[in-house]
Amino acid sequence: MAKTLIVYGSTTGNTETTAIEIGNVLGKEGHEVVLQDVSKSKVEDLGNGYDLTLLGSSTWGDDEIEFQEDFASFFEEMDNADLKDKKVAVFGCGDSTYTYFCGAVDELQAKVESLGGKVVVESLKIDGDPGDVTDEIVGWAQEVAAAL
Ligand SMILES: Cc1cc2nc3c(=O)[nH]c(=O)nc-3n(C[C@H](O)[C@H](O)[C@H](O)COP(=O)(O)O)c2cc1C
């Protein structure tokens, strides 16, 4: 059974809702899923004993990209994560009216790649309310499951 860690940061609950939906799909696909709020996570957990690691953050800021407030310090420490050759997927919520739509997702993906992690599917960027795009989230999670 594949073991999957999902670490998410969410201020108003949108990325959390997305993470839960993804976790439900992966569970149905037979994964053992550990779902963790980033504020309760350690970078050392990433990839450690997991077949797949999912990272999710919303984007804040205005003129510049800011991570979700709990995710910001975690991101700063990510150079200590052993993600080399580990399978990873990235997701997050944002709003396309901002200059850097889901900029945190792009920065997370770049960080994972710089650490030698393998991003297994195109990153998921949710524009607005994730409740409006459940099918997209389910489809993406199924793609992630199939990429293992
Ligand atoms: C002050 C403020 C700044 C924001 N900046 C961005 C941004 O730069 N890029 C973006 O895609 N979304 C931006 N957003 C939208 C949020 O990322 C979006 O509401 C998201 O769904 C929040 O997810 P969360 O509830 O998981 O934290 C911003 C929202 C606010 C209120």
Side-chain angles (χ1 to χ4, degrees):
M1 183 192 276
K3 199 168 175 197
T4 297
L5 173 67
I6 306 177
V7 174
Y8 66 89
S10 184
T11 298
T12 67
N14 285 337
T15 306
E16 180 176 40
T17 299
T18 306
I20 291 169
E21 188 66 52
I22 293 167
N24 286 341
V25 173
L26 293 177
K28 282 186 198 144
E29 297 283 343
H31 289 226
E32 181 187 339
V33 178
V34 176
L35 186 68
Q36 259 177 215
D37 190 307
V38 70
S39 63
K40 298 181 179 67
S41 302
K42 297 190 296 257
V43 288
E44 290 78 12
D45 295 341
L46 298 182
N48 186 10
Y50 294 96
D51 302 295
L52 179 64
T53 302
L54 270 62
L55 299 170
S57 174
S58 52
T59 303
W60 295 79
D62 203 347
D63 296 334
E64 57 179 6
I65 296 167
E66 286 179 20
F67 277 80
Q68 188 275 337
E69 57 181 344
D70 304 315
F71 215 111
S73 54
F74 188 84
F75 182 77
E76 294 305 318
E77 291 175 23
M78 270 185 65
D79 286 335
N80 298 319
D82 182 13
L83 284 174
K84 189 157 171 48
D85 296 327
K86 300 284 168 53
K87 291 180 177 173
V88 180
V90 181
F91 64 97
C93 295
D95 179 336
S96 60
T97 62
Y98 285 89
T99 308
Y100 300 107
F101 172 53
C102 285
V105 170
D106 294 332
E107 290 204 359
L108 259 178
Q109 179 174 334
K111 174 65 80 182
V112 168
E113 288 169 344
S114 77
L115 295 171
K118 307 278 181 225
V119 176
V120 293
V121 298
E122 190 177 333
S123 297
L124 176 68
K125 297 177 176 180
I126 302 293
D127 190 4
D129 184 348
D132 293 341
V133 289
T134 305
D135 289 353
E136 188 187 344
I137 297 168
V138 169
W140 185 83
Q142 286 168 341
E143 222 186 298
V144 170
L148 262 194

